[in-house]
Amino acid sequence: MPSASVLPAAESRRGPFKAWHALACFVGFFGFMFVVNGIFLWTAVTTFPGEDVEKSYLTGLDYNLEIDRRQHQQNEGWRAEIGVEGDTTSPLIRIRIVQRDGSALPVSAPTLQLRHPADRAKDRNLELKAVGQGEYVAEANAVAGIWTAIVVADVDPDTAGREFKASREVSIK
């Protein structure tokens, strides 16, 4: 009879698979998952700016007042014409706040905020200068990009909710 040679088992070459091997695989796998999830968590927290609206809870409570303000503004026919003019070295944002008939709407303390579409930390408040006939200009130096221009002005400072607001996306070169 021919003799049969038996190959040695794999465990005899490397040794038996013991409990500490299983523990090392288990800890290594979950340790790797912990590190990867930690990286994902850190990236999410550092890149997401959070709320888009400051004090969103209070803004939500005052939402009915905001609806009333918008309805009043629409009924009165108040609107703003917002545009960018000038060259790349000295761009100007020109705003004209008008009534339904096209005449200037008398307002006090108009403000202009440029909101960055992705990062609230880059938002800018610009100083408006009255030109006349309900027109205002603001210098937009060193703010190249696409912004949302938000104009806010008091129409009747004595009456709450009589505030004018308008916004428009502008491209500044």
Short mmCIF file of all heavy atoms in Angstrom, two decimals, residues 78-79 96-107 132-136:
data_model
loop_
_atom_site.label_atom_id
_atom_site.label_comp_id
_atom_site.label_asym_id
_atom_site.label_seq_id
_atom_site.Cartn_x
_atom_site.Cartn_y
_atom_site.Cartn_z
N TRP A 78 -44.97 98.80 -1.10
CA TRP A 78 -43.59 99.19 -0.86
C TRP A 78 -42.66 98.16 -1.48
O TRP A 78 -42.87 96.95 -1.35
CB TRP A 78 -43.30 99.30 0.62
CG TRP A 78 -44.15 100.26 1.38
CD1 TRP A 78 -44.84 101.32 0.87
CD2 TRP A 78 -44.38 100.26 2.78
NE1 TRP A 78 -45.48 101.98 1.87
CE2 TRP A 78 -45.23 101.34 3.06
CE3 TRP A 78 -43.97 99.45 3.83
CZ2 TRP A 78 -45.66 101.65 4.33
CZ3 TRP A 78 -44.40 99.75 5.10
CH2 TRP A 78 -45.23 100.84 5.35
N ARG A 79 -41.59 98.63 -2.11
CA ARG A 79 -40.61 97.70 -2.69
C ARG A 79 -39.25 98.38 -2.76
O ARG A 79 -39.15 99.60 -2.61
CB ARG A 79 -41.05 97.22 -4.05
CG ARG A 79 -41.08 98.26 -5.12
CD ARG A 79 -41.61 97.71 -6.45
NE ARG A 79 -41.38 98.62 -7.53
CZ ARG A 79 -42.07 99.72 -7.77
NH1 ARG A 79 -43.06 100.06 -6.99
NH2 ARG A 79 -41.77 100.49 -8.79
N ARG A 96 -33.00 101.71 -4.02
CA ARG A 96 -34.06 102.71 -4.12
C ARG A 96 -35.29 102.12 -3.48
O ARG A 96 -35.79 101.08 -3.91
CB ARG A 96 -34.31 103.06 -5.58
CG ARG A 96 -35.26 104.21 -5.75
CD ARG A 96 -35.17 104.78 -7.16
NE ARG A 96 -36.09 105.88 -7.26
CZ ARG A 96 -37.25 105.81 -7.90
NH1 ARG A 96 -37.60 104.72 -8.53
NH2 ARG A 96 -38.05 106.85 -7.93
N ILE A 97 -35.78 102.76 -2.42
CA ILE A 97 -36.96 102.29 -1.70
C ILE A 97 -38.14 103.15 -2.15
O ILE A 97 -38.13 104.37 -1.95
CB ILE A 97 -36.74 102.39 -0.18
CG1 ILE A 97 -35.49 101.57 0.21
CG2 ILE A 97 -37.96 101.90 0.57
CD1 ILE A 97 -35.07 101.73 1.65
N VAL A 98 -39.13 102.50 -2.75
CA VAL A 98 -40.23 103.25 -3.37
C VAL A 98 -41.59 102.73 -2.93
O VAL A 98 -41.72 101.62 -2.43
CB VAL A 98 -40.13 103.19 -4.92
CG1 VAL A 98 -38.87 103.86 -5.42
CG2 VAL A 98 -40.19 101.77 -5.42
N GLN A 99 -42.59 103.59 -3.17
CA GLN A 99 -43.98 103.23 -2.93
C GLN A 99 -44.58 102.69 -4.23
O GLN A 99 -43.91 102.60 -5.25
CB GLN A 99 -44.75 104.46 -2.46
CG GLN A 99 -44.18 105.04 -1.17
CD GLN A 99 -44.95 106.25 -0.71
OE1 GLN A 99 -46.14 106.13 -0.44
NE2 GLN A 99 -44.28 107.39 -0.62
N ARG A 100 -45.86 102.37 -4.18
CA ARG A 100 -46.56 101.80 -5.33
C ARG A 100 -46.47 102.71 -6.56
O ARG A 100 -46.26 102.24 -7.67
CB ARG A 100 -48.02 101.53 -4.98
CG ARG A 100 -48.81 100.91 -6.12
CD ARG A 100 -50.25 100.58 -5.75
NE ARG A 100 -50.23 99.39 -4.90
CZ ARG A 100 -50.70 99.35 -3.65
NH1 ARG A 100 -51.25 100.41 -3.11
NH2 ARG A 100 -50.64 98.23 -2.96
N ASP A 101 -46.59 104.02 -6.38
CA ASP A 101 -46.59 104.95 -7.51
C ASP A 101 -45.18 105.30 -8.00
O ASP A 101 -45.02 106.09 -8.93
CB ASP A 101 -47.35 106.23 -7.14
CG ASP A 101 -46.71 106.98 -5.98
OD1 ASP A 101 -45.68 106.53 -5.45
OD2 ASP A 101 -47.27 108.04 -5.60
N GLY A 102 -44.15 104.74 -7.38
CA GLY A 102 -42.77 104.98 -7.80
C GLY A 102 -42.09 106.12 -7.07
O GLY A 102 -40.90 106.36 -7.28
N SER A 103 -42.83 106.81 -6.22
CA SER A 103 -42.21 107.89 -5.45
C SER A 103 -41.43 107.30 -4.27
O SER A 103 -41.67 106.17 -3.86
CB SER A 103 -43.28 108.87 -4.94
OG SER A 103 -44.17 108.19 -4.06
N ALA A 104 -40.53 108.10 -3.74
CA ALA A 104 -39.68 107.63 -2.64
C ALA A 104 -40.50 107.36 -1.39
O ALA A 104 -41.40 108.13 -1.05
CB ALA A 104 -38.61 108.66 -2.35
N LEU A 105 -40.21 106.27 -0.74
CA LEU A 105 -40.85 105.94 0.54
C LEU A 105 -40.04 106.60 1.65
O LEU A 105 -38.84 106.34 1.77
CB LEU A 105 -40.89 104.42 0.74
CG LEU A 105 -41.46 103.91 2.05
CD1 LEU A 105 -42.96 104.23 2.14
CD2 LEU A 105 -41.24 102.42 2.19
N PRO A 106 -40.66 107.47 2.45
CA PRO A 106 -39.89 108.10 3.54
C PRO A 106 -39.56 107.08 4.64
O PRO A 106 -40.45 106.53 5.26
CB PRO A 106 -40.82 109.20 4.04
CG PRO A 106 -42.18 108.83 3.58
CD PRO A 106 -42.03 107.93 2.40
N VAL A 107 -38.28 106.81 4.81
CA VAL A 107 -37.83 105.85 5.82
C VAL A 107 -36.76 106.50 6.67
O VAL A 107 -36.18 107.52 6.30
CB VAL A 107 -37.28 104.55 5.18
CG1 VAL A 107 -38.35 103.84 4.39
CG2 VAL A 107 -36.07 104.83 4.32
N GLY A 132 -30.66 110.81 -2.30
CA GLY A 132 -31.83 111.64 -2.57
C GLY A 132 -32.89 110.83 -3.30
O GLY A 132 -32.60 109.81 -3.93
N GLN A 133 -34.13 111.30 -3.21
CA GLN A 133 -35.25 110.65 -3.89
C GLN A 133 -35.40 109.18 -3.49
O GLN A 133 -35.72 108.33 -4.31
CB GLN A 133 -35.12 110.76 -5.42
CG GLN A 133 -35.05 112.16 -5.95
CD GLN A 133 -36.33 112.93 -5.66
OE1 GLN A 133 -37.40 112.36 -5.58
NE2 GLN A 133 -36.20 114.23 -5.46
N GLY A 134 -35.12 108.87 -2.22
CA GLY A 134 -35.27 107.50 -1.73
C GLY A 134 -34.16 106.57 -2.16
O GLY A 134 -34.28 105.36 -2.03
N GLU A 135 -33.05 107.13 -2.68
CA GLU A 135 -31.92 106.31 -3.13
C GLU A 135 -30.81 106.35 -2.10
O GLU A 135 -30.55 107.37 -1.48
CB GLU A 135 -31.38 106.81 -4.47
CG GLU A 135 -32.24 106.42 -5.64
CD GLU A 135 -31.54 106.66 -6.96
OE1 GLU A 135 -30.30 106.54 -7.03
OE2 GLU A 135 -32.26 106.95 -7.93
N TYR A 136 -30.16 105.20 -1.97
CA TYR A 136 -29.05 105.04 -1.05
C TYR A 136 -27.96 104.25 -1.76
O TYR A 136 -28.25 103.39 -2.60
CB TYR A 136 -29.48 104.29 0.22
CG TYR A 136 -30.61 104.97 0.95
CD1 TYR A 136 -31.93 104.70 0.64
CD2 TYR A 136 -30.34 105.90 1.95
CE1 TYR A 136 -32.97 105.33 1.30
CE2 TYR A 136 -31.37 106.54 2.61
CZ TYR A 136 -32.69 106.24 2.29
OH TYR A 136 -33.70 106.87 2.94
#
